[in-house]
Amino acid sequence: MPWRISVATYNTVHGEDDVAYWLSGDSSWGSVAVADGVSATSGGGASYLAVNSFIHACRVYGPDYDGVPTLRRCLDYVASVAREARPEHADLVEELKKVYYRECSRGGDPCTRPLTLSLLLEEKPRLPPSINPRREGPPSTTLLAAAMYRDRIGFIISGDGAVIGSTGRRSEEVYLLWGAIPQYFAGTKVARFLEIGAGVRGRPLIFDMAAVPGSVYAIATDGVDMAALAEELASLVKTGEMPEEPAAYILRRLREKTGGFEDDATLAVIEYTG
């Protein structure tokens, strides 16, 4: 079982985050994505579209994985779906999401069952009586994603969030592979990389690398504190014993330390055993 993926989210502050993943039957290849819709654009539907279209594309292109070109093909598909999507459909998904994630995190635990089309059909969350989107522009979202194939892993970073990796059990072997924090600067619209009706904006960062056995990677939306995430990841890797659901474990730990999250917090943890 070379690859393992776990995901978790506290998606109950704004209900704008999303996460999706898929792993092959033999765990040799797969993909995972997190997204944070821009609240001012009513972006919860855009984030749902982004993560799920990325996973769908990577299931098609994954068997022919060749690094950055494959990642670009997956992103191009996401862009094409976003260009053809309609805001009113995104608004409907956003409202259904908010109902689902409130129920999924009832009791204070992070949700580990991302909302999918099959879950929508199964759960049939009740839609609020009216939808009144608050929008400064088209529904938009950030996207951070990874695709794995055999002993390689590639990342796409479009917007704010963090990708952290650990290649060993010593603290100096924990790396911030990338962290983008445009919300701390003037002109925060730089964070809106995917827009309904327009596709991908800006220049996403795309890179590919070899994976060392024992490596662990974490992909997080900007509601997760980067420094605290790195500390928890290093602590887990150092023990050599990962919990059954490491993403949920880490989010619980961060919530205990901070007393709660001020923004939606979504995390994916990827392990490579070789």
Side-chain angles (χ1 to χ4, degrees):
M1 191 176 71
W3 292 101
R4 180 187 174 203
I5 301 171
S6 72
V7 301
T9 180
Y10 282 113
N11 196 18
T12 54
V13 179
H14 303 295
E16 301 286 353
D17 276 13
D18 266 293
V19 58
Y21 71 100
W22 181 83
L23 200 57
S24 66
D26 63 358
S27 302
S28 65
W29 61 286
S31 56
V32 60
V34 303
D36 180 6
V38 180
S39 296
T41 72
S42 193
S47 61
Y48 178 87
L49 180 149
V51 298
N52 285 286
S53 57
F54 180 84
I55 298 305
H56 176 76
C58 284
R59 287 186 70 171
V60 174
Y61 299 127
D64 300 315
Y65 185 84
D66 59 351
V68 171
T70 298
L71 294 166
R72 287 193 178 277
R73 285 194 289 273
C74 293
L75 188 59
D76 286 344
Y77 178 78
V78 176
S80 68
V81 171
R83 281 195 297 269
E84 296 169 6
R86 299 175 61 172
E88 59 267 31
H89 296 161
D91 293 341
L92 177 62
V93 171
E94 178 177 33
E95 294 304 315
L96 290 169
K97 267 178 52 179
K98 289 178 178 178
V99 175
Y100 174 78
Y101 281 110
R102 280 196 298 267
E103 291 296 320
C104 191
S105 290
R106 188 181 294 276
D109 278 334
C111 181
T112 58
R113 297 179 70 209
L115 182 62
T116 61
L117 179 59
S118 60
L119 270 178
L120 269 175
L121 296 173
E122 174 188 331
E123 300 280 337
K124 297 183 176 64
R126 188 173 55 195
L127 194 63
S130 63
I131 300 174
N132 299 301
R134 181 174 64 89
R135 184 173 290 148
E136 293 177 359
S140 53
T141 186
T142 61
L143 175 68
L144 288 84
M148 303 81 68
Y149 184 75
R150 295 184 179 175
D151 63 346
R152 301 205 66 81
I153 184 168
F155 296 96
I156 293 175
I157 293 94
S158 301
D160 47 338
V163 178
I164 294 172
S166 172
T167 56
R169 297 187 180 182
R170 295 180 299 179
S171 58
E172 61 266 30
E173 294 173 320
V174 178
Y175 302 95
L176 175 63
L177 299 177
W178 190 260
I181 48 174
Q183 72 272 29
Y184 290 113
F185 303 97
T188 58
K189 288 186 179 180
V190 71
R192 303 179 192 178
F193 273 87
L194 186 77
E195 289 186 357
I196 296 294
V200 174
R201 300 286 196 176
R203 296 183 179 180
L205 177 69
I206 305 175
F207 59 99
D208 166 81
M209 65 178 70
V212 178
S215 295
V216 181
Y217 307 91
I219 305 178
T221 59
D222 68 336
V224 180
D225 181 86
M226 292 187 216
L229 172 59
E231 183 179 351
E232 287 298 327
L233 188 68
S235 178
L236 270 184
V237 172
K238 187 175 182 180
T239 67
E241 297 180 4
M242 298 293 281
E244 185 63 28
E245 294 284 350
Y249 174 86
I250 290 173
L251 279 191
R252 287 193 199 98
R253 289 274 298 166
L254 296 181
R255 190 184 191 202
E256 290 168 2
K257 287 184 174 181
T258 61
F261 295 103
E262 297 180 356
D263 192 4
D264 300 320
T266 303
L267 177 65
V269 175
I270 308 165
E271 302 168 62
Y272 178 64
T273 59

